[in-house]
Amino acid sequence: MKLTCFARPPKFWTRLAMMLIGVTVQGFGLSLLIRLKLGTDPCSCLTQGVIRYVPISFGTAQLLCHLVTFIFVLRFDMSYIGFGTLGNMVCLGYISDFFGWIWDSVLPRGFFDGPLARWGLLVPVLIVFILGAATYMTAGLGSSPYDAMPFIISHKCKKIPFKAIRMTWDICFMAAGFALGGDVGIVTLGVAFFLGPVIAFMQKKLTALL
C-alpha cells in the first residue's frame, strides 16, 4: 500500500499497534532462526555476513544496511516511507538481539546445536517469523527500505515483471550474504515461497480491524 509520507490513515492507532506487534513477533522469530542456523530471510542473511567482518551487533549492522537502501527510497519514492518503515528498519534487528540475549542467558550452551532442537523448532519458528512479518506489512504504515526498493525499481522498469525484479533482488542479497558467510538454507526458501500467501491471508482476516 502506497501512503503519503507519515500520513495517518483510518484507524491509525490500531494500525500502529499492529505494526509494533508484528515487528516484535518477527524479531522474536528472527532471533531463533539465527540460532537454528538453517537460513534466514535475504536481508538478514546479508547482515549476518557483515557482522562476521565488522565488530558490531546484528541490530546495528541491519540498521546500517537498511540505511543504505533508505537513501535510495528517499531519492526515488518517499511514498513508501511511514511509521512502519522506521519500526522495521530501526527496531527489528535490536529486538532480535534482545531475544537472542535472553536465549543465550537462560538456555544451556549448545541447546540449538542438536538436530532434535533445530528441526523440531524449525516449522513453529518459521510460522512465527512469517506471521510477524505479515502482520507488520498488513498494517499498511509503510514498507521497510528492503521491501520498498523492488516496487520502486518495478515502476522505473515497467517492461520487467515485478516477480522477476523481486526474485533478482532477493537473490542478489542472498548471494552477497552467502559470499560473506551468512546463512542460506531451507528457511530462506520458506520465506520466499510462503510470505506472500500469508500476507494475503492476513489481509483478509484483519480487514475488520482496518
Side-chain angles (χ1 to χ4, degrees), residues 17-138:
M18 186 184 300
M19 182 274 291
L20 293 174
I21 292 171
V23 170
T24 301
V25 171
Q26 188 181 7
F28 172 87
L30 180 58
S31 70
L32 291 168
L33 289 178
I34 290 172
R35 278 151 184 80
L36 294 180
K37 298 179 181 178
L38 293 171
T40 61
D41 63 281
C43 185
S44 298
C45 176
L46 177 61
T47 304
Q48 285 181 301
V50 170
I51 62 176
R52 290 175 64 90
Y53 297 93
V54 183
I56 55 179
S57 71
F58 176 86
T60 300
Q62 189 161 71
L63 174 58
L64 292 176
C65 289
H66 275 308
L67 283 174
V68 174
T69 49
F70 185 66
I71 293 172
F72 288 94
V73 176
L74 284 175
R75 169 65 178 81
F76 293 105
D77 196 339
M78 291 181 61
S79 66
Y80 287 97
I81 299 173
F83 293 96
T85 307
L86 299 181
N88 183 281
M89 182 175 73
V90 177
C91 300
L92 180 60
Y94 290 116
I95 291 172
S96 177
D97 281 345
F98 171 72
F99 282 112
W101 170 77
I102 292 178
W103 310 139
D104 294 341
S105 300
V106 303
L107 296 176
R109 183 182 297 273
F111 175 83
F112 294 103
D113 295 338
L116 182 61
R118 293 178 74 197
W119 294 102
L121 291 172
L122 173 60
V123 173
V125 170
L126 183 57
I127 290 173
V128 168
F129 175 81
I130 290 178
L131 285 176
T135 302
Y136 130 73
M137 293 181 187
T138 302

Side-chain angles (χ1 to χ4, degrees), residues 166-182:
R166 177 67 197 225
M167 184 178 297
T168 302
W169 180 254
D170 286 339
I171 290 174
C172 288
F173 269 73
M174 283 190 292
F178 181 76
L180 292 173

